[in-house]
Amino acid sequence: MITIVTGTDTGVGKTIATAALAATSGPETLVVKPAQTGVGPDVPDISVVERLAGCAVAEFTRLEDPLAPDTAARLRGVEIPSIAEHAARIRELARTRDSVIVEGSGGLLVRLDTAGGTLLDLARELAGEQRLEIQVVTRPGLGTLNHTELTVAALRARGLEPAGLILGAVPRSVSLAEEQNRTELPRLTGLPLTAAIPEGAATLAPDVFRKAAASWITGRCDSFA
């Protein structure tokens, strides 16, 4: 199976959510990052997933500037793979793995190549031949309803139904909006809440993270804590 993890925006907790999914997806899981940009102290990269989840990882393209992949590539005059090339490589990797998790860059419509191809286009490419699941990572606080509905609408407009929503970086002490959005997000999108990842999860020791990850997945995330 191929799982695509997208976010409603940059910094919503997509990388840590990806690590939690990988930690609960079995030993043959591979996490793929088609494009990584601006890796620095405050920008978690795929090595964070490798450390926390203990799974194999693959990064196709790395660009130094903290910009959208196509912008970063144009700025430096760098050739980067097309969506079709990304899809072909992911399909090949999926033939030898029980589970491949693909983490996008930023939001759903961020350009992954210099021809205007997005993660949405990549999902469409992969949906034709593979069992595909899409998880949408979103913030729990104010503004999330609009961002989440826009992302879900864009997926549905292309014939792709997300599997569910993941709340990223949920604070231990939640506001009224954060508490209410836990109910409002499923109500407005018609999608289940598949996980709630607590704020600070990335600082946990790997063995603690892996044990805790299962409790963050649907059916066990009855509270934000």
Side-chain angles (χ1 to χ4, degrees):
M1 183 175 76
I2 296 176
T3 300
I4 289 184
V5 181
T6 189
T8 56
D9 197 357
T10 298
V12 296
K14 195 166 60 270
T15 297
I16 308 308
T18 297
L21 289 173
T24 58
S25 296
E28 290 303 312
T29 298
L30 171 70
V31 172
V32 172
K33 183 82 172 182
Q36 177 69 59
T37 65
V39 176
D42 299 321
V43 183
D45 70 354
I46 202 165
S47 65
V48 172
V49 175
E50 183 178 30
R51 177 177 62 82
L52 291 174
C55 66
V57 300
E59 183 181 78
F60 294 171
T61 301
R62 175 170 288 218
L63 300 157
E64 63 181 287
D65 299 292
L67 303 166
D70 72 323
T71 306
R74 291 177 192 279
L75 180 65
R76 301 290 176 179
V78 176
E79 292 282 339
I80 57 175
S82 67
I83 291 298
E85 289 172 313
H86 284 318
R89 191 169 176 186
I90 291 167
R91 284 192 202 98
E92 186 61 33
L93 291 169
R95 290 192 181 97
T96 59
R97 297 279 178 172
D98 294 334
S99 174
V100 174
I101 301 175
V102 181
E103 182 194 348
S105 298
L108 184 66
L109 299 184
V110 168
R111 268 55 177 173
L112 294 181
D113 66 17
T114 52
T118 67
L119 187 67
L120 179 55
D121 295 312
L122 180 58
R124 283 286 296 162
E125 285 266 353
L126 294 170
E129 300 180 24
Q130 300 284 347
R131 182 183 168 200
L132 184 73
E133 177 179 284
I134 301 171
Q135 297 285 349
V136 178
V137 183
T138 186
R139 291 186 176 90
L142 284 174
T144 194
L145 299 180
N146 178 61
H147 290 164
T148 306
E149 286 190 78
L150 286 171
T151 299
V152 171
L155 285 162
R156 286 173 173 160
R158 295 289 292 274
L160 297 167
E161 181 65 16
L165 307 174
I166 297 175
L167 292 178
V170 179
R172 188 170 296 277
S173 177
V174 298
S175 66
L176 176 62
E178 289 163 339
E179 183 64 45
Q180 290 303 306
N181 284 341
R182 192 178 188 281
T183 300
E184 289 297 284
L185 283 165
R187 183 180 72 83
L188 293 173
T189 63
L191 296 174
L193 182 67
T194 52
I197 312 299
E199 189 175 62
T203 65
L204 297 174
D207 59 332
V208 176
F209 181 93
R210 293 166 202 168
K211 289 177 183 176
S215 70
W216 303 332
I217 305 301
T218 283
R220 304 175 204 175
C221 58
D222 295 325
S223 70
F224 282 116

